[in-house]
Amino acid sequence: MVGNGVIGTSIAYELARRSPETSIVVLGPRHRSGAASMAAGAMLNTFGEITKYTLMSPASQAKFQLCRDALDRWPSWLELLKQESGVADVDKSLSSGTTVLLNAKSGHLDDENYAALLAALAKFDEPHEEIAPGDIPGLDPLAEARPLRAVHLPREGAIDARAVLSALETAATRHGVRFVDGEAAGFDVDSGTVRGVRLVDGTTLSAGTVLLAAGSFSGPLTGVFEEGSVPAMFAGKGIAVQTQRRAGAGFQHVVRTPNRSGSCGLHAIPLGDGVEYLGATNLLFSEPAHTPDIGMSEFLVQVAREQLDHRLFYSDVISWLVGNRPVAIDGFPLIGRTSIDGLLITTGTYRDGFHCSPVLAQLVVDDLLGVGSLADALPHFKPERRPIESMTVEEAVKEFAFHGVSASIEAGLRLPSHTDTTVLEVFYLQVAQRYYEAVQHPIGLSPEVLLSIVFDPDHADHRITRYLNAVHDRYA
């Protein structure tokens, strides 16, 4: 198992529990620096993550169903984990219920995603209640950011990701799983079959089956495949902060906005004893980051204080958290067996990795034990594929501008009285159009992926441009 985050550890635990005779080794650095699992707010949200894109294509519908299955699985998964890890209070920080707010501190993107959320709740008959924003415990934003509407989702919530990961490791170790502190440099492949994993220290771990579940650190390891055969990967850098409440009673359950530009919603999560998690930012980079930056840290604190509770001004900072979400260029997971015999991949889960981990563990182990097939269960997400296109190039250009304007409004955009956001929209349109004019084989890219490319000073010779050319040559 290459990767000791929540997905890799969950799969190792599930396999050891169901197949005790199997020898299992989990490889990953003990510190897990930069891993999504160590920084995640761990919202157990399915409907709370809805956007206008969620049900628009077969692939996005399949991903949504995976999240729905996970929402149903979490209660029994936690009970099993409590029993088998011996950590009776692993769910101490479990927060039941999520309230989604619609306020006017972003652009019309919030309106569209909120409307999509309500439509999905009705379509799937998910329990919910529209409530008066003034009735939400702990919510006390600035007057200009007061919410217009709110909907409460009683089945959703959050839990401390770090506590769950620790309990998973304990349970897996009790079942005989061995954890190795190290980093993978590549795979040993002979005659189309994987033979083991090469470590950066020069040693090798032999194995008949290898699962790559290294999250945002998986990208370089997919270099074992021909260029263009596996979707290019990004690291979605997210910054969050844990605080200690000093003024006011604080939040009693998850309070969040719809997902916004950058595909991430502002949220506050109570962790107990006045400790709160405020998150999270999202910017895509070629490589994972390990430290917070001033700009996005300042932005996070600003919007949390303005839109959630102005009394956060008085809270103490316990720690800043930085994690990297694994993001494929098309935004969809890479899950399944590969053309290299014995090598499986489970990554690219973006914001849903922690939430979906119990179901992913079950599906992967079903495949490994021959009682199920990942190719049948998740056919859209096979690792070797051309990127799934959710929009045309023309739609991508318009969405990029739409998201850019919305993000600017949330950041405090003020324009002269003689103009409006049209001037900014034109700027973003031109930026995106210039990029696409220079690409020989373009595809529609999501706003956050396009942003990471067009504001890269080296994007004219960007790895994504090379990847798109290779995709065209391979899959044309």
Side-chain angles (χ1 to χ4, degrees), residues 382-426:
K382 59 183 182 180
E384 291 168 279
R385 65 171 191 258
R386 66 172 301 128
I388 299 167
E389 296 186 61
S390 300
M391 63 184 79
T392 66
V393 169
E394 292 75 17
E395 291 169 337
V397 170
K398 291 179 181 178
E399 279 299 301
F400 178 73
F402 187 38
H403 281 240
V405 170
S406 293
S408 300
I409 292 171
E410 187 181 12
L413 173 69
R414 292 181 64 88
L415 291 169
S417 57
H418 64 270
T419 188
D420 59 21
T421 56
T422 303
V423 68
L424 190 59
E425 182 179 358
V426 169

Side-chain angles (χ1 to χ4, degrees), residues 103-105 140-148 305-307 310:
N103 64 28
K105 287 298 288 183
D140 195 3
L142 299 184
E144 62 268 28
R146 61 189 184 277
L148 311 173
R305 185 178 58 82
E306 290 177 350
Q307 300 180 42
H310 68 92

